[in-house]
Amino acid sequence: MSQTPTERLRDYLSQLPPQSQALLMREFERALERGEDVAVASFVLEELRKIVRGSEDDNKPRSEDPARLMFRVLEPFLIDPKESPRPGQLRRSSLTSVWQWLEREGIPDQIREFEAELIGLRGAPASQVEQLVRKLQQAAAAAIDKLINPEPGVDRQRTMSRVGPPSAVEDLAPIGAVLKNRDAIDTFNGKLSSNLRVFGESQVNSMIAALNVPALQTPILLPFALTLILNHLNQPWQIVRMAIKVAGSDDEIKVAATPYGVAVTMAIQDLARLTADLREEIRRGHYGNVAENLKVIHDGIRGLRTELDIRSDSSWGKQLAAIRVDISNAVKSEIESVPGRVRRLLRQRPDKDIASGARLDQLEVDETAALIDFVAVCRTYASELAINEVTQRTYSELQQYVEKSTDALVQSLRGSDARVKPFRHQQAQAAVRFCELLFSHDYASLMSRAVENAMVVVERKPAARAG
């Protein structure tokens, strides 16, 4: 019987040398990461994995990719290319450029040797693989250090430009530093608890003691160690407590003069990133995470202003003020638009203006309810985020209008014409939903019963004629 195309491909791939199979797998994985030829790459990669692992049922992603193994230590610090890195962060896209440079001219011989040894260690204990990985990481760190600190007479700028775009060149030194000091980073990371719920004085003292390692005290590596702590904190802004403790003062000038002053910069830049995310979510009409993000930003700004003596005209003070202005600009127009949307939905139209079979747009009702909830959330955090006046005014306006409109709709239901009564009922149901958001569940339940009672048709007997 003739073979299917899939069977012919599998036979061809199985006849390739192990090194060629590994090379193909790596190239197809990179194609998937770049989004190129996804369907073809996924299919061929799946067949290769089956052959290499000797199991038809094992479709788990391959972990033996040399670049992934070497850069695994960088995972806690990677961010998406669209984001701007703060101290202690690296662009994920930079890793591809750095690896390609290492393959091309940095340590090509060592990488080929690593790949060959890796194939030979398939199925071996993880400790043996780790020994190879550490050896490769040290070689890569040495090559990066040599590139950054060239011998006299070598054009440093020209040689570094061969690594890739400016963003990759900017990340080159910290990548090399983390690879070189992997052991120190791993040891420190092992001392962190999975969740630092309360970052009090004892925890702060413990972290400062654990960081008392020369390799981690350098300006280039300290932000990465602090990032590991940040990743464990329930309230990330509390990282500034380490800087305050080291400075022995809450004065921003004294705090900024210590190496740990970078912790304040990191906390503020994280708040700025959250603000940018919040602005984008609001622009797209996605309110699912708004409450959580607003709370984190609010708590962060309040915590920084409470625990640090930050001057309004200082760099940190101006950054915090910019965050508050950014939030105000992002939410103000949305908040002010809500009363108008509520009025469009609950407005009492004359019967003649309501077409037979007219219905409220349920999507608009859902969006308006989400916006009312959004105003309520903003009201909770208004004072710290410079949106107090507009939020309080809008919320009060919504309460007054919805309360009056609900009463009016209940009254109109009692005497509505049968043709328009279904539409009025939908308006009343929307009003009850808004009442629950603006008042309480009990009040909304009361109004809901009033609406349903108004829908009951009471047949009246004709009056008897006088004899």
Side-chain angles (χ1 to χ4, degrees):
M1 184 181 292
S2 60
Q3 288 183 311
T4 65
T6 300
E7 290 171 339
R8 288 199 298 270
L9 173 64
R10 190 179 298 124
D11 285 347
Y12 169 74
L13 295 174
S14 64
Q15 294 172 11
L16 294 175
Q19 197 162 358
S20 299
Q21 291 174 349
L23 178 62
L24 271 177
M25 289 179 75
R26 190 166 70 252
E27 291 304 319
F28 277 117
E29 284 172 342
R30 289 174 179 170
L32 284 175
E33 290 172 357
R34 296 191 297 267
E36 302 172 359
D37 300 324
V38 173
V40 175
S42 297
F43 176 72
V44 177
L45 191 55
E46 180 179 347
E47 295 303 320
L48 273 169
R49 286 170 176 162
K50 290 177 180 178
I51 293 167
V52 170
R53 295 174 178 178
S55 171
E56 292 290 326
D57 298 323
D58 191 357
N59 294 323
K60 295 180 181 178
R62 177 169 166 267
S63 62
E64 293 85 0
D65 179 73
R68 289 183 181 177
L69 287 172
M70 191 181 79
F71 290 138
R72 186 182 295 165
V73 67
L74 302 173
E75 281 294 332
F77 317 116
L78 299 181
I79 60 172
D80 293 333
K82 64 179 181 180
E83 299 178 17
S84 298
R86 54 131 171 91
Q89 290 181 333
L90 300 164
R91 302 170 185 87
R92 187 177 295 275
S93 57
S94 297
L95 301 188
T96 300
S97 297
V98 173
W99 178 258
Q100 290 174 349
W101 172 77
L102 289 169
E103 280 189 312
R104 188 175 61 250
E105 55 185 288
I107 51 172
D109 294 339
Q110 290 93 325
I111 289 178
R112 283 194 293 269
E113 180 183 348
F114 176 80
E115 291 175 340
E117 292 179 338
L118 196 61
I119 293 171
L121 285 178
R122 188 172 293 124
S127 59
Q128 294 186 30
V129 176
E130 278 302 305
Q131 290 179 6
L132 286 181
V133 172
R134 290 173 186 272
K135 181 180 177 182
L136 186 67
Q137 288 171 338
Q138 293 304 310
I144 291 172
D145 184 65
K146 184 177 180 181
L147 181 68
I148 296 173
N149 303 293
E151 297 177 355
V154 177
D155 189 337
R156 180 177 181 271
Q157 185 174 358
R158 182 177 179 182
T159 55
M160 289 188 69
S161 66
R162 295 203 294 268
V163 172
S167 58
V169 174
E170 182 181 331
D171 288 338
L172 193 61
I175 288 174
V178 173
L179 293 177
K180 181 179 180 180
N181 296 279
R182 174 196 165 165
D183 288 344
I185 290 174
D186 284 349
T187 301
F188 175 70
N189 197 28
K191 296 178 181 179
L192 297 175
S193 63
S194 59
N195 193 12
L196 296 171
R197 291 186 176 276
V198 180
F199 199 51
E201 185 174 0
S202 62
Q203 289 82 8
V204 170
N205 291 336
S206 175
M207 290 297 97
I208 291 175
L211 276 172
N212 191 22
V213 178
L216 300 179
Q217 290 291 318
T218 63
I220 196 169
L221 271 185
L222 182 58
F224 289 95
L226 293 174
T227 295
L228 292 175
I229 300 175
L230 269 169
N231 293 342
H232 288 76
L233 293 178
N234 275 358
Q235 300 186 60
W237 68 267
Q238 292 179 346
I239 193 69
V240 304
R241 291 176 176 172
M242 295 186 68
I244 295 171
K245 182 67 176 180
V246 170
S249 170
D250 65 353
D251 183 83
E252 67 167 339
I253 296 177
K254 294 181 179 179
V255 171
T258 72
Y260 284 79
V262 70
V264 181
T265 299
M266 292 166 63
I268 292 176
Q269 290 187 14
D270 279 349
L271 290 175
R273 178 186 55 77
L274 273 176
T275 302
D277 292 344
L278 176 70
R279 184 174 62 245
E280 184 64 17
E281 287 179 351
I282 292 173
R283 186 184 69 80
R284 294 184 177 184
H286 298 162
Y287 299 100
N289 296 323
V290 165
E292 181 181 351
N293 283 350
L294 269 177
K295 183 180 187 309
V296 173
I297 296 169
H298 168 271
D299 292 350
I301 293 176
R302 184 178 61 182
L304 287 169
R305 285 155 55 97
T306 301
E307 300 204 13
L308 263 175
D309 182 13
I310 300 179
R311 296 162 177 78
S312 59
D313 60 345
S314 69
S315 175
W316 289 340
K318 290 177 181 177
Q319 289 177 58
L320 284 177
I323 291 173
R324 299 177 78 209
V325 170
D326 203 7
I327 292 174
S328 178
N329 292 338
V331 305
K332 185 178 179 180
S333 60
E334 291 293 325
I335 291 173
E336 291 178 333
S337 73
V338 181
R341 298 186 65 149
V342 171
R343 281 192 290 270
R344 283 197 301 273
L345 290 169
L346 304 186
R347 179 172 59 89
Q348 292 247 30
R349 310 175 192 176
D351 286 359
K352 63 184 179 63
D353 292 343
I354 301 175
S356 180
R359 298 185 62 82
L360 278 186
D361 185 342
Q362 190 58 43
L363 178 60
E364 186 175 0
V365 174
D366 293 341
E367 289 176 348
T368 304
L371 281 168
I372 292 174
D373 190 49
F374 169 68
V375 174
V377 170
C378 289
R379 182 167 169 260
T380 305
Y381 308 115
S383 59
E384 197 65 58
L385 302 179
I387 52 174
N388 194 49
E389 182 181 349
V390 65
T391 305
Q392 297 294 351
R393 183 181 68 249
T394 301
Y395 196 81
S396 176
E397 182 180 345
L398 285 170
Q399 284 185 316
Q400 293 177 23
Y401 183 81
V402 169
E403 184 178 20
K404 291 180 180 179
S405 295
T406 307
D407 287 336
L409 284 166
V410 170
Q411 295 301 323
S412 68
L413 275 174
R414 294 193 174 101
S416 288
D417 184 87
R419 182 181 64 83
V420 301
K421 200 163 189 175
F423 182 78
R424 301 257 192 232
H425 186 220
Q426 290 178 32
Q427 284 186 302
Q429 287 177 318
V432 169
R433 183 175 176 184
F434 300 159
C435 283
E436 183 159 8
L437 294 169
L438 290 165
F439 300 106
S440 67
H441 176 72
D442 290 342
Y443 180 77
S445 297
L446 178 66
M447 297 312 299
S448 179
R449 287 194 296 271
V451 169
E452 296 312 314
N453 289 336
M455 286 294 291
V456 176
V457 177
V458 179
E459 295 185 3
R460 296 180 180 178
K461 295 181 179 180
R465 295 182 181 181

